[in-house]
Amino acid sequence: DKVPVMGWQKIEIQGEQYQGNNLLKGLGEHPYVYFLHSYYVPITSYTIATANYILPYSACMQKDNFYACQFREKWEDWRTNTSKLSGLMNIDLIPAIDIINGQCVRLTKGDYNQKIIYDDDPVHVACNIEKLGFKRLHIVDLDGAAAGHIINEKVLKAITSTTDLKVDFGGGIKTEEDIEAAFAAGAHMVTVGSVSVTDPELFLSWLSRYHADRLILGADVKDGDVYVNGWKKNSGKKIL
């Protein structure tokens, strides 16, 4: 059930073990935070802080590396300013754009035959993302992932030339030439997926050359299985 409350509420952290939790770090022992409507989420073993409005309920929860939070630090941050929320949780929120034929798309369960086109202009989308306050962007070249080499290099160059976003680029990164092409087109980082599964020694050699601040290890996962080559082949390996 939805909680009809807007305003400052005190949250109670559930035990000393959560005082240094990434989600709550720096908020103090009995912090006041801003709620913009909430839900009566039951208090469970995953609850790390509670609030009380008529009845007590979970204000935020954690299970392993997954977090859920019902509040903001400040009212004025709730629509456009992501910096407070990301600072609160000690993580970066990174929007992503998937590209096919120069268009922004989304695949259904990695199926290229089930794609939804969201926008014909990835540069326009990237500019809007930057206006919302984001500093980073993840771009996936789905054409490149299927073809085995970079395809949408010009889209990458257009975005990095038009915005100040730090872009990490993936899809079709199969050779050192692909890596160099992505960096030349303005990528700040490159995401490597398939090669890390099919040729881990090659991936480690790239990691040694380019270092961890420029290479990201990526994985496409469905039902716990790691897929390669643009979701087209099950590698037979489990993500965990």
Side-chain angles (χ1 to χ4, degrees):
D1 293 332
K2 201 168 186 177
V3 182
V5 59
M6 291 177 60
W8 293 96
Q9 295 283 326
K10 183 173 73 172
I11 61 172
E12 295 289 342
I13 299 174
Q14 302 297 291
E16 294 182 1
Q17 70 270 29
Y18 295 123
Q19 291 290 338
N21 185 280
N22 285 339
L23 192 64
L24 304 172
K25 191 179 297 182
L27 291 183
E29 188 173 353
H30 301 290
Y32 277 86
V33 293
Y34 202 96
F35 285 84
L36 184 66
H37 302 305
S38 308
Y39 291 84
Y40 279 118
V41 179
I43 298 173
T44 73
S45 59
Y46 302 123
T47 301
I48 59 178
T50 62
N52 194 317
Y53 184 79
I54 303 176
L55 295 172
Y57 59 93
S58 293
C60 51
M61 309 175 83
Q62 177 189 359
K63 181 182 180 183
D64 301 324
N65 289 326
F66 295 91
Y67 296 86
C69 182
Q70 299 210 70
F71 55 80
R72 300 274 181 172
E73 264 191 307
K74 292 183 179 180
W75 154 255
E76 60 266 26
D77 296 324
W78 82 275
R79 278 192 189 276
T80 59
N81 189 336
T82 61
S83 61
K84 289 294 183 180
L85 182 59
S86 61
L88 180 64
M89 295 193 296
N90 200 29
I91 62 173
D92 289 328
L93 300 178
I94 305 173
I97 296 177
D98 292 351
I99 307 294
I100 291 180
N101 295 327
Q103 299 172 311
C104 299
V105 305
R106 182 179 181 182
L107 303 183
T108 301
K109 297 182 179 180
D111 187 348
Y112 280 66
N113 294 318
Q114 298 186 61
K115 70 177 181 182
I116 299 172
I117 299 174
Y118 285 97
D119 201 291
D120 291 326
D121 188 352
V123 177
H124 174 71
V125 173
C127 288
N128 285 338
I129 287 172
E130 185 175 40
K131 288 177 182 178
L132 289 173
F134 289 98
K135 305 300 182 185
R136 291 183 56 182
L137 176 65
H138 176 57
I139 297 178
V140 182
D141 182 355
L142 288 173
D143 291 312
H149 58 87
I150 291 179
I151 297 291
N152 288 288
E153 182 181 347
K154 291 182 178 180
V155 175
L156 169 62
K157 181 64 175 178
I159 289 174
T160 59
S161 299
T162 307
T163 74
D164 291 322
L165 293 166
K166 289 186 176 181
V167 175
D168 70 81
F169 181 86
I173 306 295
K174 295 295 195 296
T175 66
E176 200 163 296
E177 288 74 19
D178 289 319
I179 295 177
E180 294 293 342
F183 286 147
H188 188 76
M189 292 164 281
V190 168
T191 298
V192 179
S194 298
V195 169
S196 65
V197 176
T198 60
D199 194 346
E201 290 186 3
L202 178 60
F203 173 74
L204 290 175
S205 72
W206 291 348
L207 189 62
S208 177
R209 175 172 179 177
Y210 297 103
H211 308 297
D213 60 338
R214 303 211 73 188
L215 286 189
I216 298 173
L217 176 60
D220 293 331
V221 180
K222 183 163 60 176
D223 298 326
D225 295 324
V226 176
Y227 281 70
V228 296
N229 301 332
W231 293 97
K232 292 186 178 298
K233 182 180 178 182
N234 189 328
S235 70
K237 297 182 182 297
K238 294 289 185 181
I239 188 63
L240 295 175

